């Protein structure tokens, strides 16, 4: 009773309306974010400042990360062109190229082409999220086989190829994910 008397009239009205003390809040979406981003709820002016700082940090991090993949891709591709008998250089270069493309999915909404609606979301998820992941798994298997100098039977190699092609055909021909 003593506590109830300390409440303001507005708080008492809220308690009377909702028996379980829930307050419903309407939220309007003012933008989009990537899978690795956090969403912010608050006044637009306050949230915009926080978003600008976090956007700058994320873009800086992703640029360094993607730059590392690109440098490794170029380095190992050049090593392969210098020593064509070492196929593992080519496979590792491709592994870096597809890793860079796969990681694009996590911050794709930060790019202007995605924010302006130029890039369709479904196709970008199919390519960056699915195809690049399938390619990563396939190339990792081929890279491991080449690097460790392991010989698999021909039926395993063909089964891996057929599986890679089949899953991509199914995924790209599907209307929805």
């Amino acid at each position: 009773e003593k506590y109830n008397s300390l409440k303001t009239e507005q708080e008492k009205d809220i308690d009377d309306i909702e028996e379980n003390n829930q307050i419903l809040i309407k939220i309007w979406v003012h933008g989009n974010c990537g899978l690795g981003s956090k969403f912010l709820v608050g006044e637009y002016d306050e949230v915009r400042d926080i978003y600008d700082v976090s956007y700058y940090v994320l873009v800086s991090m992703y640029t360094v990360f993607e730059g590392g993949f690109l440098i490794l891709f170029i380095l190992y591709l050049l090593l392969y062109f210098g020593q064509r008998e070492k196929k593992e250089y080519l496979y590792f270069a491709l592994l870096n190229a597809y890793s860079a493309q796969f990681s694009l999915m996590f911050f794709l909404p930060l790019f202007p082409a995605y924010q302006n609606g130029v890039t369709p979301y479904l196709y970008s998820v199919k390519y960056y999220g699915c195809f690049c992941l399938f390619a990563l798994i396939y190339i990792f298997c081929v890279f491991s086989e080449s690097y460790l100098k392991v010989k698999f039977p021909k039926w395993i190699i063909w089964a891996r190829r057929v599986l890679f092609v089949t899953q991509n055909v199914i995924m790209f021909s599907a209307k929805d994910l």
Side-chain angles (χ1 to χ4, degrees):
E1 231 16 85
K2 187 175 182 181
Y3 174 75
N4 284 341
S5 64
L6 295 176
K7 288 185 176 180
T8 64
E9 289 299 317
Q10 201 173 27
E11 289 173 328
K12 287 181 186 177
D13 289 342
I14 290 174
D15 284 344
D16 291 339
I17 293 171
E18 298 284 333
E19 290 178 338
N20 54 5
N21 292 334
Q22 289 183 352
I23 299 174
L24 301 176
I25 301 172
K26 290 183 181 178
I27 298 176
W28 287 271
V29 177
H30 197 73
N32 53 21
C33 64
L35 294 175
S37 305
K38 296 178 183 177
F39 62 91
L40 304 171
V41 177
E43 293 293 326
Y44 178 75
D45 295 334
E46 296 170 5
V47 171
R48 187 70 195 173
D49 294 338
I50 296 169
Y51 173 77
D52 287 341
V53 171
S54 65
Y55 177 79
Y56 176 76
V57 170
L58 283 175
V59 168
S60 300
M61 266 185 359
Y62 290 137
T63 303
V64 168
F65 191 61
E66 292 292 317
F69 278 133
L70 183 62
I71 289 170
L72 285 172
F73 167 70
I74 293 170
L75 173 70
Y76 278 91
L77 196 61
L78 291 174
L79 284 172
Y80 170 71
F81 288 141
Q83 301 176 9
R84 291 197 187 250
E85 68 275 358
K86 293 197 173 193
K87 295 279 188 194
E88 54 268 9
Y89 289 157
L90 174 65
Y91 300 139
F92 192 70
L94 291 174
L95 203 60
N96 281 293
Y98 282 112
S99 295
Q101 291 177 43
F102 177 72
S103 64
L104 278 176
M105 184 183 75
F106 297 102
F107 60 98
L108 192 64
L110 299 176
F111 288 112
Y114 181 79
Q115 290 178 351
N116 297 335
V118 174
T119 306
Y121 179 74
L122 183 62
Y123 295 117
S124 61
V125 168
K126 281 184 176 184
Y127 179 76
Y128 295 114
C130 298
F131 174 75
C132 290
L133 179 63
F134 300 153
L136 272 172
I137 294 168
Y138 178 79
I139 292 172
F140 180 75
C141 292
V142 174
F143 167 73
S144 300
E145 182 181 355
S146 176
Y147 183 73
L148 297 174
K149 309 281 190 255
V150 177
K151 292 289 182 190
F152 287 110
K154 287 229 184 248
W155 72 269
I156 291 180
I157 294 170
W158 277 103
R160 188 170 48 207
R161 289 176 184 164
V162 167
L163 181 64
F164 176 68
V165 170
T166 304
Q167 64 192 5
N168 281 304
V169 166
I170 291 170
M171 185 258 313
F172 278 115
S173 64
K175 291 182 181 177
D176 258 327
L177 290 177

